Amino acid sequence: MKRHIYLEDIPLDEAQAVLRAALEAADLWRPLGSETISVAEANGRFTATAVFAKLSAPHYHASAMDGYALRAQDTVGASETNPLTLNLIDSETPPDSVARPIQAVNTGHPLPSWANAVVMIEHTEPVTLPNGTAGIQIRAALPPWHHVRPMGEDMVATELVLPANHKLRPVDLGALAGSGHATVTVYRQPRVAIIPTGSELVAAEFAVASGIASGQIIEYNSIVLAAQVANWGGLPTRWPIVKDEFAAIQTAVREAAQTHDLVLLNAGSSAGSEDYTAHVVQSLGQLLVHGVAVRPGHPVIIGLLEIGDWRLEIGDWAISNPQSPASTTPHPIPIIGVPGYPVSAALTGEIFIEPLLARWQGRLPYEPPTIQAKLTRKINSHTGDDDFVRVAVGKVGDNIMTTPISRGAGVITSLVRADGIVRIPRFSEGADAGATVTVHLYRTPREIEQTIVAIGSHDLTLDVLAQFLAEKTAVFRLMSANVGSLGGLVALRRGECHLAGSHLLDPETGVYNDSYIRRYLPGQPVAVVTLVGREQGWIVPLGNPKGLAGWEDAANPDVQLVNRQRGAGTRVLLDYELGRRGIDPAQVRGYGREEYTHLAVAAAVSSGVADAGLGIQAAARALNLGFVPLAHEQYELVIPLAHYESEQLKPLLDLLHDGGMRTAVSALPGYDVTIMGQVRIL
Amino acid sequence: MKRHIYLEDIPLDEAQAVLRAALEAADLWRPLGSETISVAEANGRFTATAVFAKLSAPHYHASAMDGYALRAQDTVGASETNPLTLNLIDSETPPDSVARPIQAVNTGHPLPSWANAVVMIEHTEPVTLPNGTAGIQIRAALPPWHHVRPMGEDMVATELVLPANHKLRPVDLGALAGSGHATVTVYRQPRVAIIPTGSELVAAEFAVASGIASGQIIEYNSIVLAAQVANWGGLPTRWPIVKDEFAAIQTAVREAAQTHDLVLLNAGSSAGSEDYTAHVVQSLGQLLVHGVAVRPGHPVIIGLLEIGDWRLEIGDWAISNPQSPASTTPHPIPIIGVPGYPVSAALTGEIFIEPLLARWQGRLPYEPPTIQAKLTRKINSHTGDDDFVRVAVGKVGDNIMTTPISRGAGVITSLVRADGIVRIPRFSEGADAGATVTVHLYRTPREIEQTIVAIGSHDLTLDVLAQFLAEKTAVFRLMSANVGSLGGLVALRRGECHLAGSHLLDPETGVYNDSYIRRYLPGQPVAVVTLVGREQGWIVPLGNPKGLAGWEDAANPDVQLVNRQRGAGTRVLLDYELGRRGIDPAQVRGYGREEYTHLAVAAAVSSGVADAGLGIQAAARALNLGFVPLAHEQYELVIPLAHYESEQLKPLLDLLHDGGMRTAVSALPGYDVTIMGQVRIL
């Protein structure tokens, strides 16, 4: 088993500088080349050269209105009280044959050579002259060139129409065509090969149909990278999955380099036993960087392939013909070893690949919009690493609040849910709660303002609400973070969210939430809106093999439990019931194994890690597990009155009385919607 | 000749309401339908339904690191000073056969069922045990589940992955694939037919090759509209140009409606003699709106086609089978008559078509970023019209300044050059100079900040500078507005621009610019940078048929001149020379015909409107005209010192010493670059 350990782990800016210097040395830090394409197909492309008008537009003096062409000097003296009649002629009649000629023209028509102004049809009256011929009466004099578009009004031949490096928008295509261009020379799009490697990978397209075994991983980084490359103006090629074999990877890289400008080799860049990326790069060229001090994303590899004899012709690049003695200079092709973790892979795209594709297309690297936000939680960062922290952002009242999404690099949903990134530079140890930080946004500031932020206990009903909200309004978004009921009340107190899901039983009164709200939100008027009644109980394997029946089973030495985190309503319920029965947590096997959601508890039972866990029936049903009901509880939304009465929350609160929404929730097992939408003001 | 006049001209919001109401009545104000496509091809599309996880991710407990799987309880007691050795086994060895087993795992590999933690390879040392077998030494105890990604950490089966109406980004595709989806159901893209009509039109693709005659117009609105539709998520079809014949247009519309969701009929919506749009709509359905009180864009037509017997199957829509008696209900298809003027056409796209395509795809209408800016010039607006005023925007010092681009609806370059739109609502008469207005931006605020604003006299060198600046920096943009030399100095005084091109001869001293600068910019320190020396003279037809020789020819009764506008340096020069010779402007034929640029003067001569005009040699050469040199003058850039010394202007000033730039300017006829880049501080 061949294994090695990172030799280098250099700072991000150094890695970027190394890549740039290597590309500059290879004369590759520039637009890759150009191609001439039809104007009609050039939308979104970048001009490779300045474009000058071939034709003037208009290329003749044109009528700017539907009306009549005339000589301005013939209209002198016309007024409301003194209408003047002109003699209507057609294009066949010589204008000199009549006094004061006037001729019908439409918008865009060339002005007759004898005329120098146009009167709008609305400002004329047809009349019959005494001699029986047709005339046109006008009631105002016109200056010369009135309602005439003189030749070259829009563009004069030879004039600059568009500079180089300009992104072509729809109106630009119009200006190009209008100035006599049927084609335009634009930078060609970089070709990017994306090679997924890993014997454990199964293509996403086949994973569902053929099933997936333990140890197999659905390969989707190539889909993400390809979509990124396409969004950034490149032409991606997704390679078939290559097994973890040195020769196979080497062959794939060599083939890809023949017809692409950049090779992305996914995974295999870590120090695992099957990590061949660095060796493949070394065997085919030069390894420049092995490991970058950026989180997430450490195992990034950067190299330059030199595959002379294998080169074919690409665009305007030189050919390296193996038969020709002149072909001894190999053409370098950059290669980036992209880490396997999906979050690392996507961020490697943003950090390394996007700026390179930008440079190759003569455009600026993308800079996301930024927003200043107040940090709700401390960010710890390792000095020496550039840290890219995924965050959620919400506007609560007048404050923009941001919360780090503290999940591993393997959790793609953390990027899906992220509203942006906070960059912690390598000389910093992080940022404190309450600090104002710059968030590089994935969404527009407007989307942030239309986000309803729920922090607290999670319930499946919130997912249903989020779904209906998105479908019904297409405007508002419900973002929910699961921190448990107590955590939600704390977040409300800090002004971090609009509402908190909560199901905290007061052992003294048997009433849900109220006493906790008074304790955690003293003096703050809140509305408590009942969302659902629901069953709590033991989530167990199908058939309940260990025969759990009641709360007492928590202390059964034969039963391995999985617990919820401190502050979760379900944990409060368990502790309350254990206390009532005098069961010491030390007697409960697995009491210390904490999960953060009902579904995570169900997943633990499903995987066999635990025999049971306290949770809701819907979570058991979702994973096809058994359920032993123990208690009925109320799950409620705690909403500060100011938010409760705001326009922003109205569509969400309206949904609680929506028939479709109630039907969808009723369909969840163990849910009772009869109390949905009941409100008490505290 | 059949002609008619608008019957209706209703306000914009009413027109939008009429369209919406008609589509609601026809059950068309909703997403058009959905289709199921490969996740890998769904980038940028909108989810039609909420998506729930089919699989958990990971779907097994997975190692989160390259390292070794072990039992956390076996590591108790290990420390820096007290290393602990575990027995290396492979997957074949039963773990119960050895004490403290440890097994190599790579990132993503399933955790062996007996293990519950992973130690990173970096934190281990291989050792050989006394009995000769392999061992691994560790120097820290591990908690259970350390470096393990538990099943469902990312997504638990049945969990909401994405809501409906969500625009799919690259990472979303990863989440879909990772949760077991090979396909996703998205809204289908609206099919939009774009039919250009007009007997005078020539397709842009053929105009260049085949030449273009007077009265012919290059058709490019269909290119602009198609690119807009594509940018907004639709699938455009550009129809061949249809002649101005009722039957031909009717046939094209009927055919287009069979296979499209929306028909755009371009031009033919005005009151000209060949305007059939309204009649065609009436003949095939219902005319809803004829004329909208919006500028530019008045002649917008909105209708609903009802083409029952002609319907084929489209997506999930009903089929109207002519053979079937059940097919009597015609399916309505909206049609929009788009005005012919290119600016009107493009704005009709933004105002009417984009929101409709948005609704049909379940997304929000696009809202451009906005910026507050100070108006440099009064905007007059007709009460009753919603006015969409194209504006230029620049950040000069600390102020965002915006200037209306007052050009006709036929001038596509006014949209190309526009940085945004100021909307003047129909109840307003406009906005005063100095007022703060909201600009709906076509560029990012960042691009605005990187724009160098030149207002003043125009010289071709500015185009060359703009081109080199774009090519060399890819960052900075030079935007120049032509208002003449004096206009530029006034703009500088108002703080509207960074620099002004000027060539104002002081008749007293024979020195260029200085006395004017002192008069117009009293007390303000400025740098005057010489750009070029250049020849001024008579621009005449090739061969100089009227034999112009000197300034005296201005008074030649046989010579029809074209003049520059008041305040232009060239005008100042002409007036100076006329004055010196005692020539009264009244003696000069065409003295009152003013053009705003050298090229426009040349265009007037080229078109035969004038026999001669004063201008620079390069303009004569550009349009293949003759030139009679009269004077050598200096064209200079006047730059307030603060801007001159700013980072923003540095790349532009550096270009004055760039060899390539100087060579390009030298190539222009009549230009002298020896004095380029000379600076005096006033």
Side-chain angles (χ1 to χ4, degrees):
Chain A
M1 210 187 235
K2 194 174 59 153
R3 312 192 65 160
H4 62 85
I5 295 170
Y6 291 142
L7 298 174
E8 307 184 49
D9 198 15
I10 66 173
L12 174 58
D13 48 5
E14 264 182 56
Q16 288 169 323
V18 165
L19 174 60
R20 179 171 172 164
L23 291 173
E24 280 174 349
D27 190 25
L28 281 176
W29 188 252
R30 55 160 178 82
L32 285 182
S34 59
E35 59 187 352
T36 298
I37 61 174
S38 163
V39 164
E41 284 160 16
N43 188 28
R45 301 292 292 275
F46 286 79
T47 51
T49 60
V51 184
F52 298 89
K54 278 191 185 175
L55 296 175
S56 296
H59 58 104
Y60 53 87
H61 298 313
S63 172
M65 286 289 165
D66 294 328
Y68 297 93
L70 45 70
R71 290 187 185 112
Q73 54 268 36
D74 291 342
T75 68
V76 175
S79 71
E80 272 304 320
T81 53
N82 179 34
L84 213 70
T85 302
L86 291 87
N87 295 292
L88 188 61
I89 62 173
D90 57 28
S91 56
E92 310 291 301
T93 314
D96 294 335
S97 65
V98 294
R100 296 202 300 275
I102 190 167
Q103 181 187 318
V105 285
N106 278 348
T107 307
H109 281 184
L111 200 66
S113 58
W114 53 269
N116 68 358
V118 170
V119 59
M120 287 168 73
I121 187 170
E122 292 91 328
H123 297 163
T124 63
E125 295 148 47
V127 290
T128 305
L129 299 182
N131 64 1
T133 63
I136 297 292
Q137 220 171 45
I138 61 168
R139 291 175 182 269
L142 301 178
W145 305 104
H146 189 67
H147 289 329
V148 174
R149 297 187 59 209
M151 176 185 151
E153 182 198 38
D154 196 347
M155 290 169 280
V156 176
T158 75
E159 210 175 351
L160 179 71
V161 180
L162 293 171
N165 298 331
H166 176 83
K167 183 176 186 176
L168 292 168
R169 304 161 299 170
V171 291
D172 298 322
L173 306 184
L176 289 175
S179 62
H181 293 273
T183 59
V184 59
T185 300
V186 294
Y187 292 123
R188 73 171 178 82
Q189 300 178 273
R191 280 170 278 252
V192 182
I194 300 155
I195 307 177
T197 71
S199 305
E200 74 283 14
L201 298 182
V202 182
E205 286 85 343
F206 305 113
V208 188
S210 60
I212 183 159
S214 179
Q216 288 191 321
I217 295 175
I218 298 176
E219 197 293 299
Y220 60 75
N221 280 344
S222 68
I223 295 178
V224 174
L225 289 166
Q228 285 185 327
V229 165
N231 283 0
W232 299 330
L235 295 171
T237 310
R238 279 175 67 206
W239 226 254
I241 293 166
V242 179
K243 286 216 182 302
D244 276 324
E245 290 162 11
F246 181 86
I249 297 173
Q250 196 189 43
T251 301
V253 168
R254 199 149 44 186
E255 280 181 5
Q258 290 172 48
T259 44
H260 292 79
D261 303 306
L262 172 66
V263 177
L264 305 181
L265 195 56
N266 187 223
S269 56
S270 181
S273 57
E274 291 135 357
D275 294 340
Y276 294 116
T277 298
H279 294 137
V280 167
V281 173
Q282 276 168 327
S283 77
L284 297 174
Q286 206 183 341
L287 181 65
L288 299 169
V289 174
H290 192 182
V292 180
V294 54
R295 280 180 194 268
H298 262 252
V300 174
I301 279 180
I302 297 173
L304 218 48
L305 305 171
E306 289 161 2
I307 308 183
D309 280 0
W310 287 79
R311 290 289 300 166
L312 301 179
E313 187 174 16
I314 300 184
D316 54 351
W317 281 17
I319 307 168
S320 297
N321 180 347
Q323 269 77 51
S324 150
S327 72
T328 47
T329 315
H331 198 99
I333 300 280
I335 181 168
I336 296 180
V338 178
Y341 271 136
V343 176
S344 307
L347 288 176
T348 298
E350 294 180 11
I351 297 169
F352 289 100
I353 302 168
E354 196 280 334
L356 179 55
L357 296 185
R359 182 66 198 149
W360 279 352
Q361 291 168 93
R363 65 170 174 83
L364 289 178
Y366 174 70
E367 284 203 7
T370 59
I371 202 168
Q372 301 294 310
K374 199 174 147 194
L375 203 53
T376 62
R377 241 172 275 167
K378 187 174 164 61
I379 296 178
N380 289 312
S381 176
H382 191 259
T383 310
D385 282 346
D386 282 281
D387 232 315
F388 287 68
V389 182
R390 289 144 281 163
V391 294
V393 186
K395 188 177 181 192
V396 180
D398 291 333
N399 298 316
I400 311 274
M401 314 292 292
T402 184
T403 303
I405 301 176
S406 44
R407 306 296 295 274
V411 179
I412 183 84
T413 48
S414 67
L415 260 185
V416 169
R417 295 201 178 121
D419 298 313
I421 293 281
V422 171
R423 298 179 190 164
I424 305 287
R426 65 187 164 107
F427 299 113
S428 163
E429 290 180 354
D432 283 325
T436 297
V437 293
T438 300
V439 182
H440 300 259
L441 287 175
Y442 287 134
R443 307 186 192 278
T444 64
R446 181 176 163 229
E447 285 174 297
I448 298 295
E449 299 208 348
Q450 285 162 341
T451 300
I452 299 169
V453 183
I455 300 183
S457 170
H458 188 65
D459 182 82
L460 296 175
T461 314
L462 289 181
D463 286 354
V464 180
L465 259 179
Q467 169 195 350
F468 271 79
L469 194 67
E471 280 173 13
K472 292 245 167 181
T473 75
V475 178
F476 289 100
R477 199 166 55 99
L478 177 64
M479 194 188 71
S480 58
N482 316 331
V483 298
S485 296
L486 276 180
L489 296 182
V490 171
L492 272 186
R493 184 167 62 190
R494 292 186 186 146
E496 295 172 12
C497 58
H498 296 104
L499 58 93
S502 183
H503 58 115
L504 289 162
L505 176 65
D506 184 341
E508 314 283 313
T509 62
V511 172
Y512 274 89
N513 295 322
D514 292 8
S515 63
Y516 292 87
I517 292 170
R518 285 286 55 92
R519 200 179 327 149
Y520 283 84
L521 300 168
Q524 186 171 353
V526 298
V528 183
V529 181
T530 308
L531 198 55
V532 284
R534 62 184 193 181
E535 296 287 342
Q536 287 268 20
W538 294 129
I539 297 172
V540 293
L542 265 190
N544 191 7
K546 298 226 164 158
L548 276 72
W551 293 106
E552 296 74 13
D553 288 306
N556 183 337
D558 188 35
V559 173
Q560 171 81 34
L561 278 195
V562 53
N563 203 353
R564 288 293 306 282
Q565 88 279 14
R566 210 178 302 263
T570 304
R571 169 75 165 257
V572 170
L573 178 63
L574 179 70
D575 289 348
Y576 168 65
E577 297 291 349
L578 294 181
R580 276 176 60 179
R581 284 163 184 79
I583 300 173
D584 182 347
Q587 296 172 254
V588 180
R589 281 186 61 203
Y591 184 86
R593 165 97 205 240
E594 297 181 349
E595 290 290 353
Y596 276 76
T597 65
H598 294 280
L599 280 169
V601 166
V605 174
S606 166
S607 71
V609 164
D611 298 316
L614 188 61
I616 58 173
Q617 187 178 355
R621 181 74 63 88
L623 296 194
N624 197 28
L625 296 168
F627 184 74
V628 182
L630 295 171
H632 187 88
E633 67 169 12
Q634 255 168 274
Y635 178 88
E636 302 183 312
L637 303 179
V638 184
I639 314 174
L641 211 57
H643 299 320
Y644 177 74
E645 292 168 347
S646 70
E647 278 303 302
Q648 190 167 7
L649 260 64
K650 191 167 179 305
L652 184 131
L653 295 170
D654 286 349
L655 273 177
L656 304 186
H657 304 283
D658 180 278
M661 158 79 194
R662 294 171 78 106
T663 306
V665 175
S666 311
L668 294 170
Y671 275 73
D672 166 18
V673 297
T674 53
I675 53 174
M676 182 180 281
Q678 290 178 0
V679 183
R680 30 186 219 288
I681 307 291
L682 294 192
Chain B
M1 208 188 241
K2 194 177 57 156
R3 310 192 68 157
H4 62 85
I5 294 170
Y6 291 141
L7 298 175
E8 308 185 48
D9 197 15
I10 66 173
L12 173 58
D13 48 4
E14 264 182 56
Q16 288 169 323
V18 165
L19 173 60
R20 179 170 171 163
L23 290 173
E24 279 175 348
D27 191 24
L28 281 176
W29 189 251
R30 55 160 178 83
L32 285 181
S34 60
E35 58 188 352
T36 298
I37 62 175
S38 162
V39 164
E41 286 160 13
N43 188 28
R45 301 292 292 274
F46 287 79
T47 51
T49 59
V51 184
F52 298 88
K54 279 191 185 175
L55 295 175
S56 296
H59 59 105
Y60 53 87
H61 298 311
S63 172
M65 287 288 166
D66 293 328
Y68 296 92
L70 45 69
R71 291 186 185 114
Q73 55 268 37
D74 290 343
T75 69
V76 175
S79 71
E80 272 305 321
T81 53
N82 179 34
L84 213 70
T85 301
L86 291 86
N87 295 293
L88 189 61
I89 62 172
D90 58 28
S91 55
E92 311 292 301
T93 316
D96 295 337
S97 64
V98 295
R100 298 202 299 277
I102 190 167
Q103 182 186 318
V105 285
N106 279 346
T107 307
H109 281 184
L111 200 66
S113 57
W114 53 268
N116 66 1
V118 170
V119 59
M120 288 169 73
I121 188 169
E122 291 91 327
H123 297 164
T124 63
E125 295 150 47
V127 291
T128 305
L129 300 183
N131 64 2
T133 63
I136 298 292
Q137 218 170 48
I138 61 168
R139 289 176 183 269
L142 301 178
W145 305 103
H146 189 68
H147 289 328
V148 172
R149 297 187 59 211
M151 176 185 152
E153 182 198 37
D154 196 347
M155 289 168 280
V156 176
T158 76
E159 210 174 354
L160 178 71
V161 181
L162 293 171
N165 298 330
H166 176 84
K167 183 176 186 176
L168 292 169
R169 304 161 300 171
V171 291
D172 297 323
L173 305 185
L176 289 175
S179 62
H181 294 273
T183 58
V184 59
T185 300
V186 295
Y187 292 122
R188 73 173 179 83
Q189 300 179 272
R191 279 170 278 250
V192 181
I194 300 155
I195 308 177
T197 71
S199 304
E200 74 283 13
L201 298 181
V202 182
E205 286 85 343
F206 305 114
V208 188
S210 61
I212 182 159
S214 178
Q216 288 191 322
I217 295 176
I218 298 176
E219 197 293 299
Y220 58 75
N221 280 344
S222 68
I223 295 178
V224 175
L225 289 165
Q228 285 185 326
V229 165
N231 284 0
W232 298 330
L235 296 170
T237 309
R238 279 175 67 207
W239 226 254
I241 294 167
V242 179
K243 287 215 181 304
D244 276 323
E245 290 162 10
F246 182 85
I249 298 173
Q250 197 190 42
T251 301
V253 168
R254 199 149 45 187
E255 279 181 8
Q258 289 172 47
T259 44
H260 292 79
D261 303 305
L262 171 66
V263 177
L264 305 181
L265 195 56
N266 188 222
S269 56
S270 180
S273 56
E274 291 136 356
D275 294 340
Y276 295 116
T277 298
H279 294 139
V280 166
V281 172
Q282 276 167 325
S283 77
L284 296 174
Q286 205 184 343
L287 181 64
L288 299 168
V289 174
H290 191 182
V292 180
V294 53
R295 279 179 194 271
H298 263 252
V300 174
I301 279 180
I302 297 173
L304 218 47
L305 306 170
E306 289 161 2
I307 308 183
D309 279 1
W310 288 80
R311 291 287 302 166
L312 300 180
E313 187 174 16
I314 300 184
D316 54 349
W317 282 15
I319 307 167
S320 296
N321 181 347
Q323 268 78 50
S324 150
S327 72
T328 47
T329 314
H331 198 98
I333 300 279
I335 181 168
I336 296 179
V338 179
Y341 271 137
V343 176
S344 307
L347 288 176
T348 298
E350 294 180 11
I351 297 169
F352 288 100
I353 302 168
E354 196 279 334
L356 178 56
L357 296 185
R359 182 65 199 149
W360 278 352
Q361 290 168 94
R363 65 170 174 83
L364 288 179
Y366 174 70
E367 284 203 5
T370 59
I371 203 169
Q372 299 295 310
K374 198 174 147 194
L375 203 54
T376 62
R377 241 172 274 167
K378 187 175 164 59
I379 296 178
N380 289 311
S381 175
H382 191 261
T383 311
D385 282 346
D386 281 280
D387 232 315
F388 287 69
V389 182
R390 287 145 282 163
V391 294
V393 186
K395 187 178 181 191
V396 180
D398 290 333
N399 298 315
I400 312 273
M401 314 292 292
T402 184
T403 303
I405 302 176
S406 43
R407 306 296 295 275
V411 179
I412 182 85
T413 48
S414 66
L415 260 184
V416 169
R417 295 202 178 118
D419 298 313
I421 293 281
V422 172
R423 299 179 189 165
I424 305 288
R426 65 187 164 109
F427 299 111
S428 163
E429 291 180 353
D432 284 325
T436 298
V437 293
T438 301
V439 182
H440 300 259
L441 288 174
Y442 287 134
R443 305 185 193 280
T444 64
R446 182 176 163 229
E447 286 174 298
I448 297 296
E449 299 207 348
Q450 285 162 340
T451 299
I452 299 170
V453 183
I455 299 183
S457 169
H458 187 66
D459 183 82
L460 296 176
T461 314
L462 289 181
D463 286 354
V464 180
L465 260 179
Q467 169 195 349
F468 271 78
L469 194 68
E471 280 174 12
K472 292 245 166 180
T473 74
V475 179
F476 290 100
R477 199 166 56 101
L478 176 64
M479 193 188 70
S480 57
N482 315 331
V483 299
S485 296
L486 277 181
L489 296 183
V490 171
L492 273 185
R493 185 168 60 192
R494 292 188 188 143
E496 295 172 12
C497 58
H498 297 103
L499 58 92
S502 184
H503 57 116
L504 290 162
L505 176 64
D506 185 340
E508 314 282 315
T509 63
V511 172
Y512 274 88
N513 294 323
D514 292 9
S515 63
Y516 292 87
I517 291 169
R518 285 285 57 90
R519 201 180 326 149
Y520 282 84
L521 300 168
Q524 185 171 356
V526 299
V528 183
V529 181
T530 307
L531 198 55
V532 284
R534 62 184 193 181
E535 296 287 341
Q536 287 268 20
W538 294 128
I539 297 172
V540 293
L542 264 192
N544 191 9
K546 299 225 164 158
L548 276 73
W551 293 106
E552 296 75 14
D553 289 308
N556 184 340
D558 188 34
V559 171
Q560 171 82 34
L561 278 195
V562 54
N563 203 353
R564 288 293 306 283
Q565 87 280 15
R566 211 178 300 265
T570 303
R571 169 76 165 257
V572 169
L573 179 63
L574 179 70
D575 289 349
Y576 167 66
E577 297 290 349
L578 293 181
R580 275 175 62 178
R581 286 163 183 79
I583 301 173
D584 182 344
Q587 297 171 253
V588 179
R589 282 185 60 201
Y591 184 85
R593 164 97 206 240
E594 296 181 347
E595 290 290 353
Y596 275 76
T597 66
H598 294 279
L599 279 170
V601 166
V605 173
S606 167
S607 71
V609 164
D611 298 316
L614 188 62
I616 57 172
Q617 186 177 359
R621 182 73 64 86
L623 296 194
N624 197 29
L625 296 168
F627 184 75
V628 181
L630 295 170
H632 187 88
E633 67 169 14
Q634 255 168 274
Y635 178 89
E636 303 184 311
L637 303 180
V638 183
I639 313 175
L641 210 57
H643 299 320
Y644 178 73
E645 291 168 346
S646 70
E647 279 304 302
Q648 191 167 8
L649 259 64
K650 192 167 180 304
L652 184 131
L653 295 170
D654 286 349
L655 274 176
L656 304 185
H657 305 282
D658 180 279
M661 159 77 194
R662 294 171 78 106
T663 306
V665 175
S666 311
L668 295 171
Y671 274 74
D672 167 17
V673 298
T674 54
I675 52 174
M676 182 180 281
Q678 290 179 1
V679 182
R680 28 185 221 288
I681 307 292
L682 295 191

